[in-house]
Amino acid sequence: MEELLNIFIKSMFIDNMVFAYFLGMCSYLAVSKTVDTATGLGIAVIFVLGITVPVNYLIENYMLKKGALEWLLGETAKDIDLSFLGFIMFIAVIASMVQLVEMIVEKFAPTLYASLGIFLPLIAVNCAILGGALFMQEREYTSIGEASVFGLGSGLGWFLAIVGIAAIREKIRYSNVPAPLRGLGITFIATGLMGIAFMSFMGIKL
Amino acid sequence: MSTKNLKLITNPLNIDNPITIQVLGICSALAVTVKLEPAVVMSISVLFVMAFANVIISLLRNTIPSRIRIIVQLVIIASLVILVDQVLKAFAYDVSKQLSVFVGLIITNCIIMGRLEAFALGNKPWPSFLDGVGNSAGYGMILILVAFIRELFGSGSVWGFQVIPEGFYEFGYANNGLMILPPMALIVVGIVIWVQRARTRELIEA
């Protein structure tokens, strides 16, 4: 239990997707003009990361890893190593999961669907989602519980980051920013400063 | 080479730069710029993937049904990225370790998807190839510039060689440790955008 909590806090604050690894920056910059839309996209990302990371964990451990197919094919499969197929499998899972989530949300929560709008399908090409799967692979989590907690934590971290920058951008609109810095430039610098603030979590030893 | 084709290469280097103007492909651009070497390797990988993905999609542009084009594009990009990843692992293992998940993340690099959608789907193979080369050169240019600044001030070296003389350190010069941390990549890119927009006034956002 303690281990799970550590992973959760770590993935949310210390290894924050945006501030430590710059993942999902494209949509982070494009959709952070107002807090409302930012919240919508943030929730969708938590949702999709929370689902795809554990699913990709299962695929990685029961299909792709060296000897992972043993449960299906018996002794003969001991030397089969499909890990080079990782990228294609992960992106296919993500694309189909996003499609599935979209259909489920449309059927059972039409109001949420209407408010998320175009953001749901766009998540398929958000690098934070594929990044989550690849980090899961690289850090070698030992159980599906750890993988799901990592996915949820990273999603929440991303949510915090995008809502934070959206609030700052709403305020900044009324400030006197030098003309060439307006818009994109100042957003980069503000994100950098937020990142420096988040670095203070690095001292936490878990 | 006609002027129209030449423009395909020169525009992305300046007034239509993928990173500072189109705001695409930021994620990977920021994360690999601590040192010059991984930045250059990353730029070459993106150049390869983007140029060939553009050509392949351009050749197939009349046969792909538009409803499933995203999946087709993702599969083509993912196959090219697997190729790059395997080559890097075989011939430049150290750099491939440094780049870690970011080679895989070329798949969801929005520049590649963006150029496929915006250009390769509607143009002949040769202009598409030039467009791919131009855009990845524009991307690489910013990457190398940021990496040069960060390595020079952060580690006092260029491409791993010490360039700031020992004597400086004896007089009390110190490397700027902040430059190595992730947030400074954002701030350096912010300043690059600032300089570029101050020089070309028509790029300023209202």
Side-chain angles (χ1 to χ4, degrees), chain B residues 1-16 130-131 134-135:
Chain B
M1 200 181 286
S2 63
T3 31
K4 198 170 147 233
N5 281 351
L6 197 64
K7 271 221 166 103
L8 288 176
I9 292 206
T10 53
N11 268 356
L13 292 181
N14 188 18
I15 54 163
D16 198 20
L130 293 178
D131 182 77
N135 273 288

Side-chain angles (χ1 to χ4, degrees), chain A residues 9-63:
Chain A
I9 301 285
K10 199 162 183 285
S11 56
M12 191 161 153
F13 291 111
I14 304 170
D15 291 337
N16 186 290
M17 283 276 184
V18 174
F19 299 126
Y21 297 104
F22 315 107
L23 294 179
M25 284 301 276
C26 310
S27 33
Y28 171 84
L29 291 168
V31 191
S32 61
K33 290 204 173 93
T34 62
V35 174
D36 286 348
T37 48
T39 316
L41 184 67
I43 292 172
V45 167
I46 299 179
F47 210 53
V48 176
L49 257 179
I51 295 174
T52 55
V53 171
V55 171
N56 278 330
Y57 176 85
L58 292 179
I59 292 213
E60 158 83 7
N61 281 285
Y62 293 100
M63 271 178 77

Side-chain angles (χ1 to χ4, degrees), chain A residues 18-27 29 33 83-88 91 95-96 124-128 130-132 134-135 138 169 178-197 199 202, chain B residues 19-21 23-28 30-32 70-71 74-75 78-79 81-82 85-86 97 100-105 107-110 113 150 178 181-187 189-191 193-195 197-198 201 204-206:
Chain A
V18 174
F19 299 126
Y21 297 104
F22 315 107
L23 294 179
M25 284 301 276
C26 310
S27 33
L29 291 168
K33 290 204 173 93
S83 48
F84 67 94
L85 283 176
F87 295 155
I88 283 201
I91 199 74
S96 43
V125 285
N126 186 330
C127 11
L130 184 62
L134 295 177
F135 275 126
E138 199 182 77
R169 283 181 84 170
L181 260 181
R182 255 175 233 156
L184 195 58
I186 196 70
T187 312
F188 267 95
I189 292 178
T191 311
L193 294 177
M194 282 170 79
I196 292 177
M199 301 227 77
M202 272 200 338
Chain B
I19 293 185
T20 59
I21 311 298
V23 211
L24 295 173
I26 315 279
C27 329
S28 52
L30 297 167
V32 298
I70 305 264
I71 300 251
L74 278 177
V75 169
S79 327
V81 170
I82 290 179
D85 185 48
Q86 299 285 327
K97 267 274 159 274
S100 77
V101 299
F102 291 98
V103 180
L105 286 175
I107 299 173
T108 46
N109 193 323
C110 1
M113 282 294 266
R150 285 181 75 191
L178 203 56
L181 300 177
M184 280 315 281
L186 286 160
I187 295 181
V189 174
I191 292 169
I193 293 174
W194 187 2
V195 170
R197 296 198 177 176
R201 284 270 152 192
I204 292 174
E205 284 173 48

